[in-house]
C-alpha cells in the first residue's frame, strides 16, 4: 500500500480545517474548499495532482446506541448523536510522488446543500460532481456544466438521499409474488 | 420486324441476366462462407434443400442460404420514413441496379451459342465500349446520393455525401489506368482489347500493366464501396450510410446492384488486364472462354472478399488524399512509362532490351509509389514504448 | 525501408492462414457446429415436454458440469417430498440479492431421513426471470438443501407463470446433482459425511463422557456410600452438573 | 462550442449538422449517446449523454447485506467481473481484521490477470472493429477469450458473472487440474498474440487511422483523473499494481509499458494494451509456478458486520482504477457504498479529444477509451 500522507501541515496553514479522528479525514468548510484544494495540489510537500474519487454521503439525524462496559463490569448504553448533514468526499492521490490517499470532505447542511466545485482544480471532478448533484442534490458553486447526468432531466428528487421515497409510477418488474403483481391482477397497475 | 435480330439479342442478353444474378446469389453465400472461415467461424451451414425437415442431411453446406435470404427480403416490410421523399426513395435502388446491369452487355463474353452471324451481337460490339462503361457506371453515384438524400436521415445524408466525393474522385484514377490499355491497343472496343491479349499476352504481365491493374483494382474497390473503401456504408460510423433507411426488397435491390457492379467492374478489369477469356485450352475449345472469363472474375471477387476480411476502413480525408495524392500522380506517371516502354520495345527487337525496359519500368514505378507514400504519410510509423518498473 | 503496403500483406497472410487453417485445425475454430439431438428432434416449445421426457432430456440440456444457472432443491433417495432437505428456514429468502425466492413454511412438522421432525416448505418458488444465478442461496444454506442446476432450455411463452419454478419443479434428486456436477457433488457429499461423522463422533464422545461421568458418579456414589457406610457420614455425593452454554446466534441487527 | 465560427456567405445559408449518435448506434459500445455538432464531417462540439442503463446500483447495495452486493459488482463491468469482485473485497477487507490465505491471494492474482487478458484482447478487437474491420480481429480475440472464460466457468460456475471472491478469500477452490489447464492456455497465448500483432500492429491503414487522433496530453490526463492503459498511453508511469502493491503483486516481476511521448493518441492506447497483455502473461506464469495447496478462505465470520469505519479500496482493473468506497455504520448493511468506475471518469475527456476530429475519429476515440456501459451508468 502506498503510504499515508501527513496532514498536520494542512491544519497549521488553514486553521478552519478540522481533522476527523474517527475516519481520518480532513473536514474543509465549504467556503475554503477551492483554496485548500489548490494548495494541496500545488504545494511541494503534497502534490496531490490526482483526485480519484468524489462522492457524496447523506447523513440523516441518527442516534447510535453503543453498549460499553464500565469499570464495574456493568454494561451501559451510550447514545451517540449523529447530526444530519451532507458530505462531499474527495480521495486525493499524488501520481508524482505515488502517495495517497488523503481524504478531504466538504460538509454542508441537508436543508440547503451547497458546496464548492473543485472541477477547476481537478477535471476529474467534473462528471462525478454532476453525479452528486444528480443523485444527492448538492449544489456545486462554480461547476461549469451542472446538469443531471444519470437520471433524466425531468426527474424529480434525488434518489441517493436516505429519505428518498420512490414514486408509485416507478417501472416495476413484476414478480409473481410481489405486491405489484397482486395489484396488476386487480388491474391497478398499467405496465 | 427483324425477328432474327431480336432473337439474337435475347440469346445474348438473357444469359447475362441469368448468369450474373445467380452468380450474385452464389457470391453472397461464398462471401459469408469465406469471411466466416477467415474469421475461423463455420458460416451458414444449415439451410439446404428446402422442405426437408430441420435441414437433415440435405443441408449442403448452407447452399440454400441465398434462397432463404431472398425469400426473407421479399417478405419483409417496406418501411419508408415519415417525411422521406417517397418517389426518390423508391427510384434510388432501381437506379442503382440499372446501370450495373446495363454495362454487363459490354463485357466480351463469348457464349458458345453465339457464333458466325450471331456473333455480331456478341456483347454489343460497341466501339466506345470502355467509355460507355465509365459513363454508365457514373450514374450509380446519382442513385446513391438520391438514396442518401431521399431517406431524410442524417446518417444517410452523410453516407450520400461521402459516396459522391469518393466515387467522383476515384473515377479519375480508374479511367487513367484504363487509358493505358486503350492507348496500347488503340481501340475502345472491349472485344478488340480482348483479342489483343490473346495467347498469354496479358497486360498484367507488363510493368505498366501491373501498375495500372493495381491502381484499377484499388479504384474499383472504391467505386463499388468495398472494404477498405466502404465509407458510404461505414457501419461503425454512420450505421449503414445511404441505405440506413432501406428495408426489404429495396434493400435487396441495392445489395444486388452493388454486387452486379462488382461483377461488372471485375469483368472490365479482366478484359483490360487479365486477358479476358484467354487461358489454357481456348484454342481447342472456344467455349472455355466464358468459363475462364467468369473464373477470373470470381478470383477478383475472392480477393475483394479476402481484403474485406482483413482490412479496416480508411477515413474520409485519407481516402480522398489517397486518390488525389497517390493514385492520380502514379497513374499519370504510368501513362508516360507505358508510352516509353512501348516505343522502346517497338524500336529494339531483342530480349535483353525488353528485359531491361521491363525491370527499369517496374523499378521506376515502385520508387515513385514509395516516394509518394513517404511524402503522404511521413509521420506515420510504428512506435516503441518504454517500460516502468 | 519497408515494403510498400507490407503491413497489409502481412495481415492478409495472417487471414489467409486462418482461412486455410480453419479447415484443418480444429483448434482455430471459434464456433463449433451445433449438434442436433441424436434422435434428430427439436423440441417444439421448451415448456411443452411431458414431465418424464423432461427428466430424460435433462441430461442433454445441461451444458457442462461446471456451469450453473438456477437453483434447485435437493432431496435424498426416495419420494421427493419425504426426503427433501429443506426445512424452510428462510435464510436463503432473506439473503437472496434480487429477492427471487418465496417460501411459505409448513404448519406441521415432518420427519425426514431419521432426523427429528422439522418444518418443510409448503411453498418454495423461485422466479427465474429475476434470479441472477449468483449462488448466494447455496452458500448460506445450512442444510445443503439448495444447489445450482445447469439446465439451459428454459424458454417459455408464459412470462409470469412459466418462469416461476414451483417447488415440485425445483425438487431434484441427489443422483441428478451427481450427474450434472460430479466433482462438486462428491465434494459436498464428502463434507456432509464428514460433518455427520464429526457430529456422530462428538455425540459418541459426549455419550461416552456422559457414561463415564455416570460411571464416575456411580463409582463416587458407591465410594461415598461405602464411605458413608464406613464413616456413617450424612453427606450426599454431588455429581458435577454439565455446564451447557447456548451460544446464541448473533442477531443480524436488521 | 469553443471558438468556432461558421463560414457565412451572402445567399448561402449554412448551419451545423446536429447528429445524435446513439443510444443505439453500432459502435457506441452499449446505450451511450454522443450529441455531436458537425461542420461537414468535422466534430465541432460533442456532449456525452448517458444514464440509459442506470439502475442505481449504489442505492441497491445500501439496502442489502455486504455479501449480497458481491454478485451485483459482477454486473458493473461485465467483461471483468473478477477484478470488480476483487476491488469490492479489498475495500470490505479493510473494514475488518482479516487474513487472506496464501492460495487465495495467488488465485486472486491469476483470476485478475486472466481478466486483464480477456478485456484487453477483446477491447483491441472491438477497437479494430470500430475502425471498420468487419470483426475479424474481434473473432480471433473472442476465440481466445472463450478459452479463458471456460477456465472461469470451471472455477466459479459462470463464464462472465463469476461472483467468485469473498471477503477473506474465495468462494471455492478451483477444481482438480484447473491450474494445468490454465498453464496450457497461458502458454499458448503468446503465440496467438504474435499472430494478432502481425495482423494489426503494422497495418498501414490502422497506423494512419490511429496516429495523431484523439490526442490527450499528460497534464490533462493526470488532472482529469484518467487511469489505466489510457493514462499510461499519455506517458505517465502509474500502475496501481505497482503503487499500492495490493494483494501479493509485490512478489511478481513485471513491467509497466507506457508511452514515450507527452501526448497519447489512439495508437498509443491500442499498443499499450497489446504490450500489457505480454506482461500479464509473465505475471500469470510466475503465479502459476508459485501457487501451493492450502485453504482458500480466511477466518472471516459467517456474518459480515464491521464496526463504524470508512474504507476505500482500489485495484488496477483492466480499464483503470476501480475503487470501492464503503462507509460502515456498525450494521450488516453498508451505510454508503460507492463505486469509482474507471470508464465513467475516463469519459471526462471525451469532448476534449474529439473536437476538431472527424466523425469516424470520434468513434474510434470512444473505442480507445474502453467503456462498458454497465459501469458508466451503474
Amino acid at each position: 500500500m502506498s503510504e499515508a500522507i501527513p496532514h498536520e501541515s494542512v491544519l497549521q496553514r488553514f486553521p478552519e480545517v478540522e481533522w476527523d479522528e474517527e475516519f481520518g479525514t480532513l473536514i474543509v468548510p465549504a467556503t475554503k474548499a477551492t483554496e485548500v484544494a489548490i494548495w494541496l495540489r500545488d504545494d511541494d510537500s503534497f502534490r496531490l495532482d490526482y483526485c480519484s474519487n468524489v462522492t457524496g454521503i447523506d447523513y440523516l439525524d441518527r442516534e447510535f446506541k453503543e453498549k460499553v462496559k464500565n469499570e464495574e463490569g456493568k454494561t451501559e448504553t451510550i447514545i451517540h448523536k449523529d447530526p444530519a448533514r451532507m458530505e462531499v468526499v474527495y480521495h486525493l492521490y499524488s501520481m508524482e510522488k505515488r502517495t495517497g490517499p488523503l481524504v478531504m470532505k466538504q460538509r454542508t447542511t441537508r436543508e440547503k446543500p451547497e458546496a464548492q466545485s473543485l472541477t477547476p482544480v481537478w477535471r476529474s471532478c467534473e462528471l462525478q460532481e454532476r453525479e452528486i448533484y444528480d443523485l444527492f442534490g448538492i449544489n456545486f458553486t462554480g461547476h461549469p456544466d451542472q446538469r443531471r447526468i444519470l437520471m433524466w432531466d425531468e426527474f424529480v428528487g434525488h434518489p441517493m438521499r436516505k429519505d428518498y421515497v420512490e414514486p408509485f409510477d416507478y417501472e416495476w418488474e413484476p414478480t409473481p409474488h410481489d405486491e405489484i403483481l397482486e395489484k396488476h391482477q386487480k388491474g391497478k397497475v398499467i405496465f | 420486324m427483324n425477328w432474327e435480330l431480336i432473337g439474337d439479342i435475347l440469346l445474348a442478353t438473357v444469359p447475362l441476366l441469368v448468369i450474373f444474378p445467380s452468380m450474385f446469389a452464389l457470391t453472397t453465400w461464398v462471401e459469408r462462407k469465406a469471411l466466416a472461415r477467415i474469421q475461423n467461424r463455420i458460416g451458414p451451414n444449415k439451410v439446404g434443400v428446402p422442405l426437408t425437415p430441420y435441414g437433415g442431411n440435405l443441408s449442403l453446406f448452407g447452399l440454400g442460404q441465398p434462397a432463404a435470404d431472398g425469400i426473407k427480403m421479399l417478405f419483409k416490410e417496406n418501411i419508408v420514413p415519415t417525411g422521406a421523399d417517397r418517389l426518390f426513395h423508391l427510384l434510388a435502388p432501381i437506379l442503382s441496379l440499372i446501370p450495373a446491369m446495363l454495362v454487363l452487355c459490354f463485357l466480351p463474353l463469348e457464349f458458345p451459342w453465339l457464333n458466325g452471324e450471331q456473333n455480331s451481337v456478341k456483347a454489343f460490339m460497341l466501339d466506345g465500349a470502355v467509355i460507355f462503361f465509365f459513363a454508365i457506371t457514373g450514374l450509380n453515384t446519382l442513385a446513391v446520393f438520391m438514396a442518401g438524400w431521399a431517406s431524410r436521415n442524417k446518417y444517410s445524408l452523410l453516407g450520400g455525401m461521402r459516396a459522391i466525393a469518393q466515387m467522383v474522385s476515384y473515377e479519375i484514377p480508374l479511367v487513367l489506368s484504363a487509358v493505358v490499355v486503350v492507348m496500347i491497343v488503340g481501340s475502345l472496343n472491349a472485344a478488340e482489347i480482348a483479342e489483343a491479349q490473346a495467347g498469354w499476352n496479358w497486360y498484367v504481365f507488363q510493368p505498366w500493366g501491373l501498375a495500372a491493374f493495381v491502381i484499377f483494382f484499388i479504384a474499383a474497390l472504391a467505386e463499388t464501396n468495398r472494404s477498405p473503401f466502404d465509407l458510404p456504408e461505414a457501419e461503425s460510423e454512420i450505421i449503414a450510410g445511404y441505405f440506413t433507411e432501406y428495408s426489404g426488397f429495396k434493400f435487396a435491390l441495392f445489395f444486388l446492384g452493388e454486387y452486379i457492379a462488382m461483377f461488372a467492374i471485375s469483368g472490365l478489369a479482366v478484359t483490360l488486364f487479365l486477358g479476358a477469356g484467354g487461358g489454357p485450352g481456348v484454342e481447342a475449345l472456344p467455349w472455355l472462354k466464358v468459363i475462364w472469363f467468369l473464373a477470373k472474375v470470381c478470383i477478383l471477387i475472392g480477393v475483394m472478399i479476402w481484403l474485406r476480411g482483413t482490412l479496416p476502413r480508411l477515413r474520409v480525408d485519407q481516402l480522398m488524399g489517397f486518390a488525389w495524392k497517390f493514385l492520380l500522380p502514379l497513374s499519370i506517371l504510368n501513362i508516360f512509362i507505358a508510352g516509353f516502354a512501348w516505343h522502346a520495345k517497338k524500336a529494339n527487337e531483342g530480349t535483353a532490351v525488353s528485359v531491361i525496359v521491363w525491370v527499369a519500368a517496374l523499378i521506376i514505378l515502385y520508387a515513385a509509389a514509395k516516394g509518394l507514400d513517404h511524402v503522404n504519410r511521413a509521420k506515420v510509423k510504428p512506435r516503441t514504448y518504454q517500460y516502468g518498473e | 525501408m519497408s515494403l510498400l503496403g507490407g503491413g497489409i500483406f502481412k495481415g492478409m497472410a495472417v487471414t489467409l492462414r486462418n482461412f486455410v487453417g480453419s479447415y484443418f485445425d480444429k483448434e482455430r475454430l471459434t464456433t463449433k457446429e451445433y449438434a442436433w439431438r441424436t434422435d434428430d428432434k427439436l423440441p417444439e416449445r421448451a415448456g411443452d415436454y411431458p414431465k418424464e421426457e423432461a427428466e430424460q432430456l435433462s441430461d442433454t440440456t445441461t451444458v457442462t458440469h461446471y456451469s450453473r444457472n438456477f437453483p434447485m432443491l435437493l432431496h435424498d433417495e426416495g419420494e421427493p417430498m419425504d426426503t427433501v432437505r429443506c426445512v424452510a428456514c428462510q435464510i436463503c429468502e432473506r439473503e437472496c440479492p434480487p429477492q427471487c425466492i418465496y417460501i411459505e413454511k409448513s404448519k406441521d412438522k415432518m420427519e425426514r431421513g431419521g432426523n427429528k421432525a422439522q418444518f418443510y416448505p409448503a411453498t418454495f418458488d423461485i422466479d427465474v426471470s429475476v434470479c441472477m444465478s449468483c449462488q448466494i442461496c447455496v452458500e448460506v444454506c445450512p442444510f445443503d438443501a439448495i444447489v445450482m442446476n445447469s439446465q439451459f432450455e428454459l424458454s417459455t411463452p408464459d412470462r409470469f407463470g412459466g418462469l416461476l419454478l414451483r417447488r415440485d419443479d425445483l425438487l431434484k434428486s441427489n443422483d441428478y446433482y451427481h450427474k450434472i456436477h460430479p466433482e462438486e457433488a462428491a465434494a459436498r457429499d464428502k463434507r456432509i459425511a464428514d460433518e455427520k461423522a464429526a457430529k456422530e463422533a462428538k455425540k459418541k464422545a459426549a455419550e461416552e463422557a456422559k457414561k463415564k461421568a455416570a460411571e464416575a458418579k456411580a463409582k463416587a456414589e458407591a465410594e461415598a456410600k461405602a464411605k458413608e457406610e464406613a464413616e456413617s457420614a450424612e453427606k450426599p455425593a454431588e455429581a458435577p452438573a454439565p455446564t451447557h452454554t447456548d451460544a446464541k446466534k448473533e442477531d443480524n441487527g436488521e | 462550442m469553443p471558438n468556432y465560427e461558421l463560414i457565412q456567405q451572402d445567399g448561402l445559408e449554412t448551419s451545423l449538422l446536429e447528429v445524435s449518435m446513439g443510444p443505439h448506434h453500432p459502435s457506441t459500445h452499449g446505450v451511450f449517446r454522443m450529441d455531436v455538432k458537425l461542420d461537414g464531417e468535422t466534430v465541432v462540439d460533442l456532449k456525452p449523454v448517458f444514464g440509459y442503463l442506470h439502475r442505481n446500483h449504489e442505492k441497491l447495495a445500501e439496502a442489502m447485506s455486504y455479501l449480497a452486493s458481491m454478485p451485483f459488482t459482477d454486473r458493473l463491468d461485465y467483461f471483468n467481473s473478477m477484478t470488480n469482485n476483487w476491488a469490492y473485497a479489498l475495500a470490505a477487507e479493510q473494514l475488518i481484521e482479516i487474513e487472506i490465505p496464501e492460495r487465495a491471494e495467488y488465485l486472486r492474482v491469476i483470476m485478475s490477470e486472466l481478466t486483464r487478458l480477456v478485456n484487453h484482447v477483446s477491447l483491441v478487437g472491438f477497437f479494430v472493429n470500430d475502425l471498420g474491420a468487419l470483426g475479424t480481429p474481434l473473432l480471433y480475440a473472442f476465440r481466445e477469450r472463450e478459452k479463458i472464460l471456460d477456465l472461469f466457468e470451471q472455477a466459479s460456475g459462470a463464464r462472465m458473472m463469476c461472483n467468485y471472491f469473498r471477503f477473506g478469500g474465495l468462494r471455492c477452490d478451483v477444481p482438480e487440474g484447473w491450474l494445468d489447464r490454465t498453464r496450457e492456455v497461458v502458454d499458448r497465448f503468446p503465440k496467438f498474440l504474435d499472430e494478432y500483432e502481425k495482423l494489426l500492429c503494422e497495418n498501414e491503414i490502422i497506423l494512419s487511422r490511429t496516429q495523431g487522433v484523439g490526442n490527450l496530453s499528460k497534464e490533462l490526463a493526470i488532472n482529469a483523473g484518467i487511469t489505466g492503459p489510457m493514462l499510461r498511453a499519455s506517458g505517465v508511469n502509474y500502475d496501481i499494481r505497482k503503487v499500492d502493491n495490493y494483494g501479493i503483486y509485490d512478489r511478481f516481476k513485471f513491467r509497466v509499458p507506457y508511452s514515450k511521448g507527452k501526448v497519447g493518441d489512439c495508437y498509443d492506447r491500442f499498443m499499450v494494451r497489446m504490450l500489457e497483455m505480454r506482461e500479464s502473461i509473465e505475471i500469470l506464469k510466475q503465479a502459476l509456478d508459485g501457487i501451493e495447496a492450502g485453504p482458500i478462505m480466511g477466518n472471516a465470520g459467517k456474518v459480515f458486520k464491521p464496526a463504524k469505519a470508512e474504507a476505500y479500496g482500489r485495484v488496477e482493473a483492466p480499464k483503470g482504477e476501480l475503487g470501492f468506497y464503503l462507509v460502515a455504520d456498525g450494521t450488516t448493511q453498508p451505510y454508503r457504498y460507492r463505486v469509482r468506475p474507471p470508464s465513467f471518469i475516463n469519459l471526462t475527456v471525451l469532448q476534449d479529444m474529439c473536437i476538431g476530429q472527424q466523425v469516424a475519429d470520434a468513434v474510434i476515440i470512444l473505442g480507445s477509451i474502453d467503456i462498458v456501459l454497465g459501469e458508466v451508468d451503474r
Side-chain angles (χ1 to χ4, degrees), chain A residues 1-2 22-23 25 41 49-60 62 64 82 89 91 93-95 98 103 105 121-124 126-128 131 135-136 145 147 149-151 159-162 164, chain D residues 47 50-51 54 56 58-59 62 220 222-227 231 236-239 242-246 308-310 312 314 321 325 327 329 334-338 340 344-345 347-349 352 376-378:
Chain A
M1 292 286 146
S2 51
E22 193 181 5
F23 294 137
T25 56
R41 187 188 66 183
D49 47 8
Y50 165 44
C51 174
S52 163
N53 178 38
V54 187
T55 186
I57 312 178
D58 178 22
Y59 286 103
L60 289 176
R62 294 214 310 176
F64 278 101
D82 208 8
V89 190
H91 284 78
Y93 287 84
S94 169
M95 277 194 189
R98 297 186 161 217
V103 187
K105 283 182 178 174
V121 188
W122 293 289
R123 262 298 288 284
S124 56
E126 186 182 334
L127 294 184
Q128 302 192 73
E131 189 191 323
L135 302 180
F136 287 90
D145 183 23
R147 288 178 292 139
I149 186 166
L150 293 173
M151 311 304 286
M160 280 302 285
R161 287 198 181 182
K162 286 284 174 184
Y164 176 76
Chain D
K47 286 257 180 286
F50 39 87
H54 181 54
N56 224 338
E58 293 173 9
K59 183 88 175 173
E62 282 165 21
L220 181 60
I222 294 175
N223 195 256
I226 308 300
T227 42
L231 174 73
V236 186
N237 177 15
Y238 191 80
D239 188 320
K242 288 279 187 198
V243 176
D244 275 8
N245 277 327
Y246 62 92
K308 224 174 145 190
E310 278 186 13
Y312 181 66
R314 57 174 196 163
E321 174 187 329
Y325 173 60
V327 178
D329 62 347
Y335 187 73
R336 178 80 179 96
Y337 168 102
R338 149 86 180 165
R340 187 245 186 241
F344 174 66
I345 291 156
L347 274 177
T348 313
V349 289
D352 304 55
V376 173
D377 293 346
R378 298 191 302 299

Side-chain angles (χ1 to χ4, degrees), chain B residues 284-295:
Chain B
L285 304 161
W287 54 267
L288 262 181
K289 278 188 176 178
V290 181
I291 308 288
W292 279 121
F293 191 93
L294 292 179

Side-chain angles (χ1 to χ4, degrees), chain A residues 68-86:
Chain A
V68 178
K69 271 192 182 172
N70 58 11
E71 296 106 49
E72 293 156 35
K74 275 186 184 171
T75 46
E76 266 181 21
T77 316
I78 301 172
I79 298 172
H80 294 287
K81 272 220 161 169
D82 208 8
R85 63 183 189 275
M86 285 222 183

Side-chain angles (χ1 to χ4, degrees), chain D residues 63-356:
Chain D
M64 58 177 92
S65 70
Y66 282 92
L67 177 63
S69 297
M70 187 64 94
F72 282 112
T73 62
D74 292 340
R75 275 106 179 136
L76 283 174
D77 176 358
Y78 40 78
F79 260 73
N80 312 320
S81 61
M82 291 285 194
T83 42
N84 297 351
N85 284 179
W86 197 358
Y88 182 43
L90 206 68
E93 279 155 9
Q94 286 176 22
L95 291 173
I96 48 166
E97 283 284 312
I98 204 158
E99 200 174 301
I100 302 139
E102 191 91 327
R103 186 176 171 85
E105 287 278 29
Y106 270 103
L107 279 173
R108 282 179 173 196
V109 170
I110 292 173
M111 294 302 178
S112 161
E113 293 308 316
L114 284 175
T115 304
R116 202 178 308 281
L117 287 181
V118 165
N119 180 71
H120 284 359
V121 80
S122 37
L123 182 269
V124 169
F126 280 124
F127 175 67
V128 185
N129 219 23
D130 285 346
L131 284 169
L134 208 97
T136 308
L138 182 66
L139 278 152
Y140 295 168
F142 266 41
R143 182 185 63 216
E144 300 309 307
R145 172 174 175 262
E146 207 68 1
K147 288 173 187 158
I148 296 173
L149 291 191
D150 281 344
L151 292 175
F152 285 167
E153 186 187 347
Q154 288 168 10
S156 72
R159 303 171 73 77
M160 286 173 84
M161 306 296 136
C162 297
N163 183 22
Y164 189 54
F165 288 44
R166 288 289 173 271
F167 311 132
L170 300 167
R171 195 182 69 218
C172 54
D173 206 345
V174 292
E176 224 170 284
W178 188 87
L179 291 171
D180 298 330
R181 287 192 283 269
T182 310
R183 191 182 292 274
E184 213 172 287
V185 170
V186 170
D187 285 345
R188 249 187 230 171
F189 212 84
K191 209 178 134 209
F192 162 72
L193 275 184
D194 290 342
E195 198 179 40
Y196 213 45
E197 276 176 4
K198 216 184 262 174
L199 177 64
L200 304 175
C201 290
E202 284 173 46
N203 190 313
E204 279 83 358
I205 297 178
I206 294 182
L207 289 184
S208 42
R209 275 300 298 277
T210 53
Q211 293 196 350
V213 169
N215 290 336
L216 178 63
S217 71
K218 194 173 172 176
E219 289 71 35
L220 181 60
I222 294 175
N223 195 256
I226 308 300
T227 42
M230 200 171 155
L231 174 73
R232 292 191 281 280
S234 289
V236 186
N237 177 15
Y238 191 80
D239 188 320
I240 296 163
R241 288 176 292 175
K242 288 279 187 198
V243 176
D244 275 8
N245 277 327
Y246 62 92
I248 49 164
Y249 270 114
D250 46 352
R251 293 190 200 173
F252 302 113
K253 224 171 108 52
F254 66 101
R255 304 173 302 168
V256 180
Y258 64 103
S259 166
K260 276 180 179 163
K262 284 197 180 302
V263 173
D265 55 22
C266 287
Y267 182 74
D268 288 329
R269 291 191 271 272
F270 154 70
M271 278 306 287
V272 161
R273 289 188 174 103
M274 291 297 273
L275 296 173
E276 246 176 49
M277 280 193 270
R278 302 256 181 204
E279 300 304 316
S280 284
I281 290 167
E282 286 306 307
I283 299 175
L284 277 168
K285 279 181 181 160
Q286 293 170 40
L288 287 167
D289 286 337
I291 190 167
E292 279 162 16
I296 45 106
M297 195 63 196
N299 51 350
K302 197 120 178 122
V303 179
F304 190 86
K305 194 177 171 186
K308 224 174 145 190
E310 278 186 13
Y312 181 66
R314 57 174 196 163
V315 300
E316 176 76 25
K319 293 182 167 53
E321 174 187 329
L322 177 66
F324 277 81
Y325 173 60
L326 296 173
V327 178
D329 62 347
T331 61
T332 53
Q333 294 173 350
Y335 187 73
R336 178 80 179 96
Y337 168 102
R338 149 86 180 165
V339 192
R340 187 245 186 241
S343 39
F344 174 66
I345 291 156
N346 288 359
L347 274 177
T348 313
V349 289
L350 179 68
Q351 188 185 9
D352 304 55
M353 291 196 290
C354 286
I355 286 180

